[in-house]
Amino acid sequence: MAHDAPPRWDRRMQQRLARGEAAALGELYDRFASLVHSLAYRVLDDEDAADRITREVFGYIWEHPDTYDPKQGSLRSWVAGITRHQAVQRLRQTESASVRDHDGDGPGSAESERELERKIHEASTAARADYIVTSMPAPLREALELAYFQRRDYRQTAADLGVTEDEARRRLRLGLQLLSTAHNHQALPAVPMRRTAARGPQAPRPPHSTPPAPGHGRPR
């Protein structure tokens, strides 16, 4: 997967979206739809729900491009943050409704709520970890994949990568430091999400569908 887009591209894309350029939304979709859908699915474990989140996220971006601040990070990270926030909120709503239906106001409710919070935290952490791994530089990602998914030791990892053992250790240490932020991350970005009315082009459909041809810009 590609790394974060250059800041110049990020700023230019935001400006185009702010001007209501429908083509910009299509370009953004082409670049980030798979990321949005995969993060939403990682949290919700439901294809239809991930499809809905994908549409909502791009709809929100179309309506609120000014909420992105290039000084706070890349456009890719911003899109991922919106996705995680919305997916976790959807999971909380769904699971809370299930808890109420199962427990009502009985003695088991407090325990069920704790289990709900644990499940939400784990889903959010897993999605953030996935994002971190796919976003980190290729040398770090390759070292982690060899050492932890293919169970290579330092010497084997170094040989496979064609680097010294010290370099292999350095890459693994940096990769693990980045990955640890997924577990230490408590708060999701407070992004006010809402369903948007039909204005201008429709939000693109999920990755397995062909996006509809957009209209002529967002009415002001």
Side-chain angles (χ1 to χ4, degrees):
M1 182 176 291
H3 302 317
D4 284 1
R8 183 177 298 177
W9 185 91
D10 291 358
R11 290 192 295 270
R12 187 167 62 248
M13 174 58 67
Q14 182 195 34
Q15 291 166 358
R16 293 176 63 197
L17 289 169
R19 289 196 298 267
E21 292 186 23
L25 183 65
E27 290 178 28
L28 197 74
Y29 173 87
D30 289 342
R31 187 180 288 258
F32 296 134
S34 293
L35 170 69
V36 171
H37 192 273
S38 65
L39 289 177
Y41 184 82
R42 189 73 167 90
V43 173
L44 298 166
D45 194 26
D46 183 297
E47 189 75 23
D48 291 338
D51 290 349
R52 289 193 294 273
I53 294 297
T54 301
R55 291 193 293 270
E56 291 176 6
V57 166
F58 283 98
Y60 175 83
I61 291 170
W62 173 250
E63 291 288 331
H64 304 283
D66 55 329
T67 60
Y68 168 59
D69 182 359
K71 296 178 182 178
Q72 298 299 316
S74 70
L75 192 61
R76 187 177 192 270
S77 295
W78 179 66
V79 171
I82 293 172
T83 303
R84 287 197 308 274
H85 181 276
Q86 184 70 349
V88 167
Q89 290 300 101
R90 178 63 55 83
L91 179 64
R92 185 182 299 278
Q93 292 168 3
T94 302
E95 294 296 325
S96 293
S98 177
V99 167
R100 287 194 300 271
D101 290 343
H102 183 267
D103 291 332
D105 297 321
S109 295
E111 182 177 349
S112 297
E113 287 294 337
R114 285 193 295 271
E115 177 64 18
L116 168 62
E117 291 304 319
R118 182 195 63 79
K119 182 174 182 177
I120 290 171
H121 177 74
E122 288 182 353
S124 178
T125 297
R128 182 170 170 81
D130 283 355
Y131 174 74
I132 290 171
V133 170
T134 59
S135 299
M136 67 176 55
L140 304 187
R141 184 171 64 251
E142 290 166 356
L144 282 178
E145 289 173 348
L146 286 169
Y148 291 94
F149 296 109
Q150 300 184 33
R151 299 188 180 282
R152 302 282 207 276
D153 60 25
Y154 286 119
R155 186 171 299 170
Q156 293 169 326
T157 297
D160 288 344
L161 295 175
V163 299
T164 66
E165 290 184 33
D166 284 344
E167 175 63 13
R169 290 190 180 94
R170 186 189 72 82
R171 293 183 184 183
L172 285 169
R173 184 169 60 252
L174 290 175
L176 288 172
Q177 286 173 350
L178 289 173
L179 197 55
S180 69
T181 65
H183 298 278
N184 298 332
H185 185 72
Q186 297 297 324
L188 288 165
V191 181
M193 297 287 293
R194 62 180 178 82
R195 294 186 180 277
T196 57
R199 298 175 61 192
Q202 288 182 299
R205 293 175 184 170
H208 60 262
S209 303
T210 301
H216 300 289
R218 180 173 54 250
R220 296 297 183 186

